[in-house]
Amino acid sequence: MTAAGIARLAGVGRAAVSNWRRRHADFPKPVGGTETSPAFALRDVEQWLRDQGKIAEVPARERVWQQLVGHPAGAAAALRQAGAVLLLVQERPAAWRQLRAAADDAELTGVLPAMLESVLTGRLGPEHPVRGLTRAALAPSAALVRAAGDLATADGAAAAYDFLLGRHLDANPRQYTLTPPGPAALMAELAASAGPFGTVLDPACGAGGLLAAARTADAAPLALHGQESDPDLAALTALRLALEAPGADVRVRAADTLRADAFPQLAADAVLVHPPFNERNWGHDELAYDPRWEYGLPARNESELAWVQHALARLRPGGTAVLLMPPAAASRRSGRRIRADLLRRGALRAVIALPAGAAPPNNIPLHLWVLRKPGGSPAVPHLLVVDTAASAGRDKFDWQTVRATAVDAWRDFDRDGGIEEVPGVCRSLAAIDLLGDDVDLAPARHLPPPAAAGGPAELARVHDRLTATLARTAELAPHPGTDTAAQPPAGRWPLTTVGELARSGALVLRAGGPGTAGPGGGAPAVLTDHDVIGGLAPSGTLPETPTGASPEEPVLVQEGDVVVPVLGGGATARVVDEATAGAALGRNLTLLRPDTAALDPWFLAGFLRGTANNRQASSYASTATRLDVRRLQLPRLPLVEQRRYSRRFADLAAFESALRLASRLGEQLVQGLHDGLTDGSVDPD
């Protein structure tokens, strides 16, 4: 097991494990791995933790997980075996209890394969992908089989498998592209808005996130069909769905969907897909005459449009498909003929732009395409375009607002065939208006800017705020003074460093960083280095706690703390006010908590911002300047004298804040006037 595994086992952070290795000579020695990522023997680590009183007993979940990781056939094969046993426990608990109580290892692995095959065939069909569960394969896994069965008895089979599969996916982030729960739930909700569906298909099902989300939509489907090209992942997904949906008909197949469709006769009520993006080798040449290309043969670089047409081909008339698409698919010239035909025939009903970061790849704002298979009444070709970016902030976004914006707009449009235009958010367009040279369907290109929505009245309010702020700025502008004789040269002050003050107890130093959100929400916002440098409110969010791990407590800032960026911040220090107190301290920040009986916060922050002070405490060992906060200096002055400086530093901070606000209001007014003049809502006179 790695240091990360030890941290999970003991319920601590990885830094604590590193400290144990340094401080305790009897800490177990590595038995494998590399110098940067050593591996340790589970038994030795368990014993050491018990001896130190850091753990009473290894949790059953951790014990099963460590057996999976160390399995000679690999974690995926071991997880397949454990999942099949969990399914047996769920489907035939009495048979498992009898087998578990009576059988030794040889008898267990001799009888078990036939029992597992019977259960798998009954739940997943005769062509199920969970293969290789022979006596020879199970013999080295007898301990794992027993531990997995015991875990299912204690926690429930579905919960046990959810933990093990989640840990496996978290441990291999580069191997799997997952659809986050938020977008998956949104896609299922959009598909379910037309009414209950009996059958759902995901032809690129991956780990089964979309099919699992369909189970929690308004009406749980009776049949779940999935296809995945990776045989191991297809097997794991089949087990997940069988365990999570005991009443549903589950069919998962392992094959390349476009080249070897496993469900050619299926007419699903809904299709949910997060297809692979930008695939060149999707079968363009060999599938040139495939009957699925009803709207045109996709170009070699338009694999996403092949998935769109595959989804439509597997729908019943009137069925709904929702696909997560790259934004380029809405505007690439190579796909314009297919997009045009999808519009003309009323198959493409909506394009919804999500904020960047909603799903991987996180650096681009992905789109959702909502399609309806034509059938019955003549099509009324209109397209709904929605841009949810207005619901997103610069560093985080409110997912519930994004979801509500998309779902409300789609339901109104689907019910009434049109929708009231909301500038910058949503609009219904006639297909004929989109059939230009490029057939560009990107929502942002068809929505008036939101700044124009308020018109001149909103711009007048911004103007009034800017005028008042500029007047306030003039009042706050400090005068530098001329009586230099009253000021002693800096060199005459006795100096101390932040490091010396920390050692003497005059202040406490804390580094920002580790911290995760616990279950149930309510996590504090994160104060980022960007917020400190820009004088903004906390805008970050804590990362989710890895599956099965204990949440790590973040460092929370208090009123009167001084926060300093250590990377690229220049001469910056911020005194935490009442509004910011309670936020979590982000990465690349250092917190200084002064003892106010000896050290004034504004005095501390003001002297830390000195340019010469920062220069002598900075490292230029790399292209990014890093500040050694402990080397920053300030003079040794009595508290009364500190407060003389403190008042001036606080005045400068107020002046700086007013300047920033004036800058933001000025930019808003300038852009608003440009938009108003160019869209006609503001008269030039």
Side-chain angles (χ1 to χ4, degrees):
M1 66 189 311
T2 63
I6 297 173
R8 283 193 295 266
L9 198 62
V12 299
R14 292 185 63 177
V17 179
S18 299
N19 286 336
W20 292 344
R21 292 186 63 194
R22 287 195 301 268
R23 291 167 47 201
H24 297 279
D26 61 340
F27 191 88
K29 303 302 180 185
V31 295
T34 64
E35 184 176 346
T36 56
S37 181
F40 304 85
L42 173 61
R43 182 177 299 177
D44 295 344
V45 170
E46 288 179 4
Q47 188 60 51
W48 187 86
L49 290 173
R50 288 194 193 94
D51 294 344
Q52 295 291 324
K54 300 183 184 299
I55 186 172
E57 185 56 52
V58 177
R61 285 183 168 191
E62 285 295 336
R63 187 174 296 281
V64 176
W65 169 249
Q66 295 302 335
Q67 289 176 326
L68 283 172
V69 173
H71 196 279
L79 187 54
R80 190 164 60 240
Q81 296 172 5
V85 172
L86 293 171
L87 187 60
L88 173 64
V89 176
Q90 178 172 285
E91 296 291 315
R92 302 178 187 175
W96 167 255
R97 285 194 297 269
Q98 184 177 1
L99 181 65
R100 175 73 173 88
D104 58 20
D105 286 356
E107 184 181 353
L108 181 71
T109 55
V111 175
L112 197 56
M115 295 182 66
L116 295 179
E117 183 62 26
S118 174
V119 170
L120 291 167
T121 301
R123 285 294 285 118
L124 302 173
E127 299 178 27
H128 67 81
V130 191
R131 301 297 179 188
L133 302 181
T134 64
R135 179 171 184 172
L138 290 171
S141 309
L144 172 62
V145 166
R146 294 178 185 277
D150 294 344
L151 182 60
T153 303
D155 292 1
Y161 190 73
D162 182 64
F163 165 77
L164 296 173
L165 178 61
R167 181 69 69 81
H168 176 68
L169 297 175
D170 289 344
N172 300 277
R174 296 184 180 180
Q175 187 175 346
Y176 306 112
T177 299
L178 306 178
T179 309
L186 172 58
M187 293 170 69
E189 194 170 1
L190 293 170
S193 64
F197 38 61
T199 303
V200 178
L201 167 69
D202 183 351
C205 64
L210 290 175
L211 292 172
R215 287 283 300 170
T216 59
D218 292 343
L222 301 176
L224 302 172
H225 290 68
Q227 188 165 347
E228 167 58 41
S229 59
D230 181 343
D232 280 336
L233 190 54
L236 301 182
T237 299
L239 291 165
R240 171 189 183 179
L241 296 173
L243 287 162
E244 290 185 1
D249 179 20
V250 176
R251 295 290 181 267
V252 178
R253 302 291 178 260
D256 182 325
T257 296
L258 296 181
R259 289 186 171 89
D261 182 12
F263 306 103
Q265 307 303 320
L266 184 65
D269 297 299
V271 177
L272 304 174
V273 198
H274 178 179
F277 297 161
N278 302 318
E279 278 198 331
R280 294 278 179 165
N281 184 28
W282 59 268
H284 174 270
D285 295 337
E286 60 203 88
L287 299 174
Y289 300 101
D290 195 290
R292 288 173 291 181
W293 315 144
E294 186 178 345
Y295 299 86
L297 174 64
R300 193 181 302 277
N301 65 332
E302 290 283 3
S303 62
E304 297 86 6
L305 293 182
W307 286 99
V308 165
Q309 295 190 75
H310 174 81
L312 285 168
R314 294 297 158 261
L315 282 173
R316 62 164 175 80
T320 304
V322 184
L323 287 86
L324 189 63
M325 301 281 280
S331 55
R332 276 192 296 242
R333 286 186 59 82
S334 54
R336 64 189 185 279
R337 288 191 178 90
I338 294 177
R339 292 195 299 272
D341 207 24
L342 289 168
L343 287 173
R344 287 191 196 97
R345 297 170 60 179
L348 181 57
R349 304 304 310 282
V351 176
I352 301 170
L354 300 178
N362 292 310
N363 60 326
I364 59 175
L366 301 179
H367 290 174
L368 292 178
W369 284 25
V370 185
L371 301 108
R372 180 75 48 74
K373 185 163 185 175
S377 58
V380 182
H382 278 75
L383 180 74
L384 170 69
V385 291
V386 181
D387 189 353
T388 62
S391 308
R394 175 165 43 188
D395 297 304
K396 64 175 182 176
F397 56 85
D398 180 357
W399 179 254
Q400 289 305 315
T401 304
V402 171
R403 185 205 63 79
T405 300
V407 172
D408 292 348
W410 166 246
R411 284 179 174 167
D412 291 345
F413 173 82
D414 196 34
R415 181 183 62 245
D416 303 329
I419 191 172
E420 183 179 350
E421 178 182 308
V422 180
V425 178
C426 61
R427 183 183 182 189
S428 174
L429 299 164
I432 191 68
D433 296 332
L434 295 165
L435 299 178
D437 290 340
D438 293 331
V439 196
D440 192 333
L441 308 182
R445 295 195 174 97
H446 301 287
L447 293 169
E458 176 63 25
L459 295 178
R461 283 191 288 271
V462 174
H463 175 271
D464 291 345
R465 286 189 65 197
L466 175 59
T467 302
T469 303
L470 289 173
R472 177 66 175 155
T473 304
E475 294 173 5
L476 293 172
H479 194 283
T482 56
D483 189 7
T484 57
Q487 303 298 327
R492 290 175 51 188
W493 285 324
L495 298 176
T496 185
T497 66
V498 168
E500 291 171 350
L501 291 170
R503 285 191 292 273
S504 68
L507 58 81
V508 174
L509 268 172
R510 299 292 299 275
T516 57
V526 175
L527 183 67
T528 68
D529 52 351
H530 172 80
D531 300 330
V532 173
I533 295 169
L536 305 172
S539 64
T541 55
L542 288 173
E544 294 293 329
T545 303
T547 304
S550 301
E552 293 188 53
E553 288 293 329
V555 176
L556 302 181
V557 300
Q558 299 177 7
E559 187 175 1
D561 288 346
V562 177
V563 180
V564 182
V566 298
L567 194 64
T572 305
R574 174 171 169 177
V575 179
V576 175
D577 58 13
E578 183 180 3
T580 306
L585 189 68
R587 296 185 183 278
N588 298 322
L589 291 175
T590 296
L591 177 147
L592 291 78
R593 182 166 294 161
D595 178 356
T596 53
L599 199 57
D600 185 277
W602 283 106
F603 170 79
L604 172 63
F607 273 93
L608 296 188
R609 285 192 60 169
T611 302
N613 200 4
N614 273 259
R615 186 174 297 166
Q616 66 87 28
S618 296
S619 166
Y620 293 89
S622 66
T623 55
T625 302
R626 189 170 186 88
L627 187 69
D628 184 351
V629 176
R630 291 180 175 274
R631 293 174 56 190
L632 289 168
Q633 297 178 335
L634 64 159
R636 294 181 182 272
L637 295 178
L639 194 58
V640 173
E641 189 69 11
Q642 290 181 32
R643 286 172 179 160
R644 289 182 60 231
Y645 285 91
S646 170
R647 288 189 290 272
R648 295 299 162 257
F649 287 137
D651 290 344
L652 286 174
F655 176 60
E656 184 178 42
S657 178
L659 285 175
R660 284 179 172 141
L661 177 58
S663 174
R664 289 195 289 268
L665 290 170
E667 290 174 359
Q668 185 179 347
L669 181 62
V670 169
Q671 189 59 55
L673 286 171
H674 273 95
D675 292 341
L677 289 166
T678 54
D679 68 15
S681 62
V682 175
D683 187 85
D685 295 330

